[in-house]
mmCIF file of all heavy atoms in Angstrom:
data_model
loop_
_atom_site.group_PDB
_atom_site.id
_atom_site.type_symbol
_atom_site.label_atom_id
_atom_site.label_comp_id
_atom_site.label_asym_id
_atom_site.label_seq_id
_atom_site.Cartn_x
_atom_site.Cartn_y
_atom_site.Cartn_z
ATOM 1 N N PRO A 234 64.950 54.312 46.229
ATOM 2 C CA PRO A 234 64.341 53.392 45.328
ATOM 3 C C PRO A 234 65.203 52.637 44.320
ATOM 4 O O PRO A 234 64.815 51.738 43.801
ATOM 5 C CB PRO A 234 63.313 54.317 44.530
ATOM 6 C CG PRO A 234 63.214 55.454 45.522
ATOM 7 C CD PRO A 234 64.436 55.676 46.230
ATOM 8 N N SER A 235 66.429 53.203 44.205
ATOM 9 C CA SER A 235 67.384 52.551 43.205
ATOM 10 C C SER A 235 68.251 51.446 43.900
ATOM 11 O O SER A 235 68.359 50.275 43.371
ATOM 12 C CB SER A 235 68.170 53.685 42.502
ATOM 13 O OG SER A 235 67.390 54.443 41.739
ATOM 14 N N CYS A 236 68.988 51.961 44.909
ATOM 15 C CA CYS A 236 69.932 50.975 45.532
ATOM 16 C C CYS A 236 69.635 50.501 46.880
ATOM 17 O O CYS A 236 70.315 49.610 47.498
ATOM 18 C CB CYS A 236 71.347 51.716 45.642
ATOM 19 S SG CYS A 236 71.364 53.171 46.797
ATOM 20 N N ARG A 237 68.331 50.911 47.411
ATOM 21 C CA ARG A 237 67.869 50.525 48.671
ATOM 22 C C ARG A 237 68.718 50.950 49.935
ATOM 23 O O ARG A 237 68.623 50.371 50.962
ATOM 24 C CB ARG A 237 67.709 49.031 48.691
ATOM 25 C CG ARG A 237 67.076 48.332 47.447
ATOM 26 C CD ARG A 237 65.663 49.026 47.294
ATOM 27 N NE ARG A 237 64.798 48.776 48.107
ATOM 28 C CZ ARG A 237 63.528 49.285 48.301
ATOM 29 N NH1 ARG A 237 63.150 50.172 47.358
ATOM 30 N NH2 ARG A 237 62.704 48.927 49.313
ATOM 31 N N ALA A 238 69.513 52.004 49.617
ATOM 32 C CA ALA A 238 70.300 52.517 50.857
ATOM 33 C C ALA A 238 69.415 53.221 51.748
ATOM 34 O O ALA A 238 68.428 53.790 51.384
ATOM 35 C CB ALA A 238 71.473 53.342 50.352
ATOM 36 N N GLU A 239 69.678 53.129 53.014
ATOM 37 C CA GLU A 239 68.888 53.725 54.101
ATOM 38 C C GLU A 239 69.499 55.113 54.365
ATOM 39 O O GLU A 239 70.636 55.199 54.604
ATOM 40 C CB GLU A 239 68.915 52.958 55.341
ATOM 41 C CG GLU A 239 68.237 51.454 55.160
ATOM 42 C CD GLU A 239 66.773 51.638 54.986
ATOM 43 O OE1 GLU A 239 66.126 52.635 55.398
ATOM 44 O OE2 GLU A 239 66.155 50.570 54.434
ATOM 45 N N HIS A 240 68.601 56.054 54.538
ATOM 46 C CA HIS A 240 68.931 57.491 54.840
ATOM 47 C C HIS A 240 68.074 58.098 55.835
ATOM 48 O O HIS A 240 66.833 57.833 55.723
ATOM 49 C CB HIS A 240 68.961 58.430 53.647
ATOM 50 C CG HIS A 240 69.673 57.900 52.494
ATOM 51 N ND1 HIS A 240 71.045 57.767 52.343
ATOM 52 C CD2 HIS A 240 69.317 57.347 51.272
ATOM 53 C CE1 HIS A 240 71.533 57.206 51.225
ATOM 54 N NE2 HIS A 240 70.522 56.978 50.469
ATOM 55 N N ALA A 241 68.620 58.715 56.820
ATOM 56 C CA ALA A 241 67.850 59.367 57.974
ATOM 57 C C ALA A 241 67.365 60.603 57.435
ATOM 58 O O ALA A 241 68.119 61.539 57.164
ATOM 59 C CB ALA A 241 68.653 59.464 59.192
ATOM 60 N N ALA A 242 66.047 60.854 57.383
ATOM 61 C CA ALA A 242 65.474 62.122 56.994
ATOM 62 C C ALA A 242 63.956 62.197 57.336
ATOM 63 O O ALA A 242 63.340 61.188 57.367
ATOM 64 C CB ALA A 242 65.625 62.350 55.484
ATOM 65 N N THR A 243 63.437 63.416 57.485
ATOM 66 C CA THR A 243 62.097 63.514 57.807
ATOM 67 C C THR A 243 61.340 64.193 56.662
ATOM 68 O O THR A 243 60.128 64.328 56.593
ATOM 69 C CB THR A 243 61.872 64.326 59.060
ATOM 70 O OG1 THR A 243 62.547 65.552 59.060
ATOM 71 C CG2 THR A 243 62.431 63.498 60.384
ATOM 72 N N ALA A 244 62.082 64.970 55.753
ATOM 73 C CA ALA A 244 61.411 65.535 54.686
ATOM 74 C C ALA A 244 62.474 65.610 53.553
ATOM 75 O O ALA A 244 63.720 65.548 53.605
ATOM 76 C CB ALA A 244 61.069 66.966 55.113
ATOM 77 N N ALA A 245 61.970 65.910 52.346
ATOM 78 C CA ALA A 245 62.728 65.977 51.149
ATOM 79 C C ALA A 245 63.680 67.251 51.123
ATOM 80 O O ALA A 245 64.770 67.146 50.553
ATOM 81 C CB ALA A 245 61.781 66.013 49.819
ATOM 82 N N THR A 246 63.290 68.218 51.800
ATOM 83 C CA THR A 246 64.003 69.502 51.993
ATOM 84 C C THR A 246 65.328 69.211 52.579
ATOM 85 O O THR A 246 66.247 70.162 52.551
ATOM 86 C CB THR A 246 63.249 70.537 52.704
ATOM 87 O OG1 THR A 246 62.825 70.059 53.908
ATOM 88 C CG2 THR A 246 61.973 70.935 51.901
ATOM 89 N N GLN A 247 65.539 68.127 53.318
ATOM 90 C CA GLN A 247 66.953 67.825 53.961
ATOM 91 C C GLN A 247 67.931 67.422 52.954
ATOM 92 O O GLN A 247 69.107 67.281 53.298
ATOM 93 C CB GLN A 247 66.644 66.828 54.990
ATOM 94 C CG GLN A 247 65.833 67.266 56.150
ATOM 95 C CD GLN A 247 65.664 66.158 57.253
ATOM 96 O OE1 GLN A 247 64.558 65.651 57.449
ATOM 97 N NE2 GLN A 247 66.733 65.657 57.833
ATOM 98 N N PHE A 248 67.470 67.076 51.735
ATOM 99 C CA PHE A 248 68.428 66.690 50.722
ATOM 100 C C PHE A 248 68.587 67.831 49.752
ATOM 101 O O PHE A 248 67.680 68.620 49.384
ATOM 102 C CB PHE A 248 67.919 65.424 50.068
ATOM 103 C CG PHE A 248 67.681 64.337 50.892
ATOM 104 C CD1 PHE A 248 66.427 63.864 51.184
ATOM 105 C CD2 PHE A 248 68.795 63.585 51.370
ATOM 106 C CE1 PHE A 248 66.192 62.875 52.027
ATOM 107 C CE2 PHE A 248 68.581 62.539 52.239
ATOM 108 C CZ PHE A 248 67.254 62.071 52.519
ATOM 109 N N PRO A 249 69.821 67.955 49.183
ATOM 110 C CA PRO A 249 70.197 69.223 48.426
ATOM 111 C C PRO A 249 69.527 69.129 47.001
ATOM 112 O O PRO A 249 69.312 67.903 46.459
ATOM 113 C CB PRO A 249 71.602 69.094 48.211
ATOM 114 C CG PRO A 249 72.005 67.681 48.409
ATOM 115 C CD PRO A 249 71.029 67.168 49.449
ATOM 116 N N ILE A 250 69.129 70.230 46.513
ATOM 117 C CA ILE A 250 68.632 70.288 45.116
ATOM 118 C C ILE A 250 69.730 70.116 44.122
ATOM 119 O O ILE A 250 70.857 70.489 44.211
ATOM 120 C CB ILE A 250 68.022 71.660 44.796
ATOM 121 C CG1 ILE A 250 66.735 72.024 45.780
ATOM 122 C CG2 ILE A 250 67.589 71.771 43.371
ATOM 123 C CD1 ILE A 250 66.291 73.367 45.724
ATOM 124 N N ASN A 251 69.492 69.269 43.134
ATOM 125 C CA ASN A 251 70.379 68.826 42.101
ATOM 126 C C ASN A 251 70.341 69.999 40.942
ATOM 127 O O ASN A 251 69.636 69.845 39.969
ATOM 128 C CB ASN A 251 70.039 67.488 41.460
ATOM 129 C CG ASN A 251 71.200 66.945 40.568
ATOM 130 O OD1 ASN A 251 71.939 67.739 39.978
ATOM 131 N ND2 ASN A 251 71.294 65.636 40.526
ATOM 132 N N TYR A 252 71.049 71.055 41.186
ATOM 133 C CA TYR A 252 70.898 72.111 40.343
ATOM 134 C C TYR A 252 71.633 71.790 38.893
ATOM 135 O O TYR A 252 71.149 72.317 37.937
ATOM 136 C CB TYR A 252 71.822 73.414 40.869
ATOM 137 C CG TYR A 252 71.180 73.935 42.104
ATOM 138 C CD1 TYR A 252 71.764 73.833 43.340
ATOM 139 C CD2 TYR A 252 69.954 74.598 42.020
ATOM 140 C CE1 TYR A 252 71.174 74.248 44.484
ATOM 141 C CE2 TYR A 252 69.321 75.189 43.169
ATOM 142 C CZ TYR A 252 69.930 74.984 44.347
ATOM 143 O OH TYR A 252 69.296 75.380 45.514
ATOM 144 N N GLY A 253 72.552 70.881 38.986
ATOM 145 C CA GLY A 253 73.104 70.496 37.657
ATOM 146 C C GLY A 253 72.118 69.837 36.841
ATOM 147 O O GLY A 253 72.136 69.970 35.600
ATOM 148 N N MET A 254 71.216 68.957 37.504
ATOM 149 C CA MET A 254 70.199 68.309 36.796
ATOM 150 C C MET A 254 69.234 69.317 36.204
ATOM 151 O O MET A 254 68.721 69.148 35.097
ATOM 152 C CB MET A 254 69.505 67.290 37.694
ATOM 153 C CG MET A 254 68.239 66.537 36.986
ATOM 154 S SD MET A 254 68.839 65.481 35.789
ATOM 155 C CE MET A 254 69.661 64.165 36.737
ATOM 156 N N GLU A 255 68.881 70.323 37.123
ATOM 157 C CA GLU A 255 67.945 71.322 36.526
ATOM 158 C C GLU A 255 68.499 72.100 35.330
ATOM 159 O O GLU A 255 67.799 72.320 34.350
ATOM 160 C CB GLU A 255 67.637 72.247 37.679
ATOM 161 C CG GLU A 255 66.724 71.739 38.695
ATOM 162 C CD GLU A 255 66.258 72.776 39.674
ATOM 163 O OE1 GLU A 255 66.921 73.967 39.814
ATOM 164 O OE2 GLU A 255 65.188 72.590 40.453
ATOM 165 N N ALA A 256 69.802 72.394 35.406
ATOM 166 C CA ALA A 256 70.448 73.092 34.301
ATOM 167 C C ALA A 256 70.497 72.322 33.083
ATOM 168 O O ALA A 256 70.241 72.766 31.972
ATOM 169 C CB ALA A 256 71.852 73.557 34.721
ATOM 170 N N LEU A 257 70.803 70.891 33.291
ATOM 171 C CA LEU A 257 70.723 70.002 32.148
ATOM 172 C C LEU A 257 69.455 69.914 31.440
ATOM 173 O O LEU A 257 69.308 69.932 30.209
ATOM 174 C CB LEU A 257 71.243 68.610 32.523
ATOM 175 C CG LEU A 257 71.155 67.561 31.399
ATOM 176 C CD1 LEU A 257 72.110 67.907 30.407
ATOM 177 C CD2 LEU A 257 71.617 66.243 32.010
ATOM 178 N N ILE A 258 68.304 69.899 32.252
ATOM 179 C CA ILE A 258 67.022 69.748 31.764
ATOM 180 C C ILE A 258 66.563 71.052 31.035
ATOM 181 O O ILE A 258 66.010 70.919 29.874
ATOM 182 C CB ILE A 258 66.009 69.387 32.900
ATOM 183 C CG1 ILE A 258 66.265 68.166 33.559
ATOM 184 C CG2 ILE A 258 64.635 69.672 32.493
ATOM 185 C CD1 ILE A 258 65.495 67.843 34.779
ATOM 186 N N ARG A 259 66.920 72.167 31.650
ATOM 187 C CA ARG A 259 66.577 73.442 30.778
ATOM 188 C C ARG A 259 67.387 73.562 29.533
ATOM 189 O O ARG A 259 66.917 74.035 28.558
ATOM 190 C CB ARG A 259 67.010 74.650 31.791
ATOM 191 C CG ARG A 259 65.988 74.704 33.048
ATOM 192 C CD ARG A 259 66.205 76.023 33.628
ATOM 193 N NE ARG A 259 65.354 76.129 34.898
ATOM 194 C CZ ARG A 259 65.581 75.856 36.036
ATOM 195 N NH1 ARG A 259 66.841 75.281 36.310
ATOM 196 N NH2 ARG A 259 64.680 75.934 37.017
ATOM 197 N N LYS A 260 68.613 73.033 29.618
ATOM 198 C CA LYS A 260 69.369 72.951 28.349
ATOM 199 C C LYS A 260 68.750 72.238 27.283
ATOM 200 O O LYS A 260 68.729 72.525 26.081
ATOM 201 C CB LYS A 260 70.831 72.666 28.643
ATOM 202 C CG LYS A 260 71.747 72.751 27.448
ATOM 203 C CD LYS A 260 73.146 72.436 27.866
ATOM 204 C CE LYS A 260 74.115 72.650 26.688
ATOM 205 N NZ LYS A 260 75.539 72.308 26.919
ATOM 206 N N LEU A 261 68.290 71.082 27.713
ATOM 207 C CA LEU A 261 67.697 70.069 26.757
ATOM 208 C C LEU A 261 66.469 70.675 26.167
ATOM 209 O O LEU A 261 66.164 70.441 25.094
ATOM 210 C CB LEU A 261 67.539 68.797 27.456
ATOM 211 C CG LEU A 261 68.692 67.918 27.864
ATOM 212 C CD1 LEU A 261 68.327 66.629 28.688
ATOM 213 C CD2 LEU A 261 69.446 67.396 26.521
ATOM 214 N N LYS A 262 65.797 71.356 26.945
ATOM 215 C CA LYS A 262 64.586 72.043 26.553
ATOM 216 C C LYS A 262 64.618 73.368 25.968
ATOM 217 O O LYS A 262 63.698 74.073 25.644
ATOM 218 C CB LYS A 262 63.507 71.989 27.762
ATOM 219 C CG LYS A 262 63.126 70.517 28.189
ATOM 220 C CD LYS A 262 62.016 70.781 29.323
ATOM 221 C CE LYS A 262 61.672 69.236 29.630
ATOM 222 N NZ LYS A 262 60.906 68.615 28.561
ATOM 223 N N GLY A 263 65.995 73.847 25.905
ATOM 224 C CA GLY A 263 66.182 75.092 25.346
ATOM 225 C C GLY A 263 65.694 76.306 26.146
ATOM 226 O O GLY A 263 65.208 77.325 25.648
ATOM 227 N N ILE A 264 65.659 76.141 27.496
ATOM 228 C CA ILE A 264 65.258 77.154 28.347
ATOM 229 C C ILE A 264 66.340 77.809 29.079
ATOM 230 O O ILE A 264 67.267 77.203 29.523
ATOM 231 C CB ILE A 264 64.199 76.505 29.397
ATOM 232 C CG1 ILE A 264 63.007 75.921 28.688
ATOM 233 C CG2 ILE A 264 63.690 77.491 30.453
ATOM 234 C CD1 ILE A 264 62.189 75.105 29.621
ATOM 235 N N GLU A 265 66.265 79.059 29.366
ATOM 236 C CA GLU A 265 67.431 79.796 30.031
ATOM 237 C C GLU A 265 67.502 79.293 31.468
ATOM 238 O O GLU A 265 66.426 79.048 32.151
ATOM 239 C CB GLU A 265 67.117 81.294 29.956
ATOM 240 C CG GLU A 265 67.239 81.904 28.595
ATOM 241 C CD GLU A 265 67.127 83.394 28.657
ATOM 242 O OE1 GLU A 265 66.933 83.986 29.756
ATOM 243 O OE2 GLU A 265 67.004 84.055 27.703
ATOM 244 N N VAL A 266 68.666 79.272 31.970
ATOM 245 C CA VAL A 266 69.048 78.999 33.394
ATOM 246 C C VAL A 266 68.670 80.023 34.210
ATOM 247 O O VAL A 266 68.978 81.146 33.987
ATOM 248 C CB VAL A 266 70.573 78.579 33.436
ATOM 249 C CG1 VAL A 266 70.727 78.265 34.953
ATOM 250 C CG2 VAL A 266 70.964 77.392 32.662
ATOM 251 N N VAL A 267 67.917 79.748 35.261
ATOM 252 C CA VAL A 267 67.450 80.654 36.230
ATOM 253 C C VAL A 267 68.532 80.756 37.417
ATOM 254 O O VAL A 267 68.810 79.626 37.991
ATOM 255 C CB VAL A 267 66.069 80.406 36.852
ATOM 256 C CG1 VAL A 267 65.703 81.329 37.925
ATOM 257 C CG2 VAL A 267 65.069 80.289 35.782
ATOM 258 N N PRO A 268 69.083 81.847 37.729
ATOM 259 C CA PRO A 268 70.067 81.941 38.794
ATOM 260 C C PRO A 268 69.547 81.483 40.065
ATOM 261 O O PRO A 268 68.225 81.770 40.389
ATOM 262 C CB PRO A 268 70.492 83.422 38.768
ATOM 263 C CG PRO A 268 70.202 83.804 37.385
ATOM 264 C CD PRO A 268 68.893 83.153 36.962
ATOM 265 N N GLU A 269 70.303 81.066 40.975
ATOM 266 C CA GLU A 269 69.881 80.603 42.280
ATOM 267 C C GLU A 269 69.180 81.632 43.004
ATOM 268 O O GLU A 269 68.108 81.426 43.717
ATOM 269 C CB GLU A 269 71.112 80.034 43.061
ATOM 270 C CG GLU A 269 70.753 79.510 44.489
ATOM 271 C CD GLU A 269 71.879 78.936 45.189
ATOM 272 O OE1 GLU A 269 73.064 78.963 44.612
ATOM 273 O OE2 GLU A 269 71.699 78.518 46.409
ATOM 274 N N LYS A 270 69.646 82.863 43.017
ATOM 275 C CA LYS A 270 69.016 84.084 43.738
ATOM 276 C C LYS A 270 67.599 84.450 43.267
ATOM 277 O O LYS A 270 66.935 85.031 43.883
ATOM 278 C CB LYS A 270 70.050 85.246 43.750
ATOM 279 C CG LYS A 270 71.310 85.021 44.379
ATOM 280 C CD LYS A 270 72.150 86.299 44.398
ATOM 281 C CE LYS A 270 73.463 86.029 45.245
ATOM 282 N NZ LYS A 270 74.254 87.296 45.175
ATOM 283 N N THR A 271 67.400 84.107 41.931
ATOM 284 C CA THR A 271 66.134 84.337 41.406
ATOM 285 C C THR A 271 65.215 83.231 41.123
ATOM 286 O O THR A 271 64.468 83.255 40.256
ATOM 287 C CB THR A 271 66.314 85.181 40.099
ATOM 288 O OG1 THR A 271 67.001 84.273 39.173
ATOM 289 C CG2 THR A 271 67.269 86.367 40.239
ATOM 290 N N LEU A 272 65.378 82.200 41.968
ATOM 291 C CA LEU A 272 64.731 80.896 41.784
ATOM 292 C C LEU A 272 63.146 81.201 41.932
ATOM 293 O O LEU A 272 62.318 80.515 41.280
ATOM 294 C CB LEU A 272 65.063 79.786 42.671
ATOM 295 C CG LEU A 272 66.348 79.283 42.342
ATOM 296 C CD1 LEU A 272 66.737 78.171 43.436
ATOM 297 C CD2 LEU A 272 66.268 78.513 41.028
ATOM 298 N N THR A 273 62.855 82.217 42.758
ATOM 299 C CA THR A 273 61.438 82.460 42.980
ATOM 300 C C THR A 273 60.804 83.198 41.891
ATOM 301 O O THR A 273 59.559 83.412 41.677
ATOM 302 C CB THR A 273 61.237 83.330 44.300
ATOM 303 O OG1 THR A 273 62.032 84.491 44.248
ATOM 304 C CG2 THR A 273 61.864 82.416 45.438
ATOM 305 N N ALA A 274 61.755 83.845 40.931
ATOM 306 C CA ALA A 274 61.162 84.604 39.737
ATOM 307 C C ALA A 274 60.551 83.573 38.800
ATOM 308 O O ALA A 274 60.945 82.442 38.588
ATOM 309 C CB ALA A 274 62.255 85.449 39.121
ATOM 310 N N LYS A 275 59.638 84.158 37.998
ATOM 311 C CA LYS A 275 58.891 83.332 36.973
ATOM 312 C C LYS A 275 59.933 83.062 35.757
ATOM 313 O O LYS A 275 60.448 83.996 35.169
ATOM 314 C CB LYS A 275 57.706 83.959 36.467
ATOM 315 C CG LYS A 275 56.809 83.208 35.566
ATOM 316 C CD LYS A 275 55.589 83.882 35.186
ATOM 317 C CE LYS A 275 54.663 83.067 34.153
ATOM 318 N NZ LYS A 275 53.465 83.692 33.859
#
């Protein structure tokens, strides 16, 4: 949607999660970072 580059993919799960963005968001909101192994934890 930003640069109009074409990418072959059938689902969003084919692209990596931006953990750095998630960590930044949690930091901005004052929320503890959830380790990758415990992502399913609340």
Side-chain angles (χ1 to χ4, degrees):
S235 294
C236 66
R237 313 305 295 172
E239 297 288 341
H240 306 292
T243 58
T246 54
Q247 294 180 243
F248 300 106
I250 297 172
N251 190 331
Y252 294 112
M254 179 64 73
E255 287 188 340
L257 176 61
I258 293 172
R259 291 189 178 93
K260 184 176 181 181
L261 290 174
K262 294 183 177 295
I264 301 174
E265 293 184 2
V266 178
V267 180
E269 181 179 355
K270 293 182 179 180
T271 60
L272 286 177
T273 57
K275 186 176 181 180

